Amino acid sequence: PAPIPAQLLPCRVRHDGPAPVAAFMRVRTGPDGELWASFRGRRLGGRDLPLPPGYRGVLLRGGEPGEPPLCDLGDPQPRWVSVWGSFETIRDWGADAAPAPGRGLARALQWGTLAREV
């Protein structure tokens, strides 16, 4: 699968699918490595967070009508998905400020390494 950028915004965007993000968000790097942009006039601060070692994020897409499902055909609701893209970092955005390094998504991503150790 092709590498794709993954971004977590502090708002709801009523769109499902590809978008020309670079046309709407011009990202600048701050003095401490944080990222700054604006979206619909709202200031955003962000950080790139790598996934834990051994993990990879994937973007899944539902199957096209007429294509065979990749599941038990006896399933009352046969469905299938395919991997459309993958990512190894997530750009985490916060409203008006960059998310703190040890909180929120950054903290949640620590669980992958902890789970492996347990």
Side-chain angles (χ1 to χ4, degrees):
I4 57 168
Q7 304 200 42
L8 180 62
L9 294 169
C11 61
R12 176 179 287 174
V13 177
R14 293 183 183 201
H15 175 72
D16 185 14
V21 175
F24 300 105
M25 293 178 63
R26 306 227 193 283
V27 180
R28 298 176 319 277
T29 304
D32 296 325
E34 75 278 7
L35 304 169
W36 296 102
S38 64
F39 182 71
R40 293 185 174 177
R42 182 79 187 250
R43 183 176 184 217
L44 301 175
R47 297 188 189 286
D48 284 334
L49 302 173
L51 297 182
Y55 286 79
R56 180 176 61 134
V58 293
L59 177 63
L60 303 175
R61 182 176 63 151
E64 299 296 326
E67 293 184 19
L70 301 175
C71 65
D72 179 8
L73 294 178
D75 187 338
Q77 295 179 335
R79 298 180 184 170
W80 68 275
V81 295
S82 61
V83 176
W84 190 62
S86 65
F87 56 94
E88 304 215 359
T89 62
I90 299 175
R91 184 164 284 176
D92 187 20
W93 292 104
D96 297 322
R103 305 195 63 197
L105 180 60
R107 190 169 190 174
L109 290 174
Q110 294 173 358
W111 282 99
T113 304
L114 180 62
R116 182 176 300 136
E117 296 299 321
V118 172

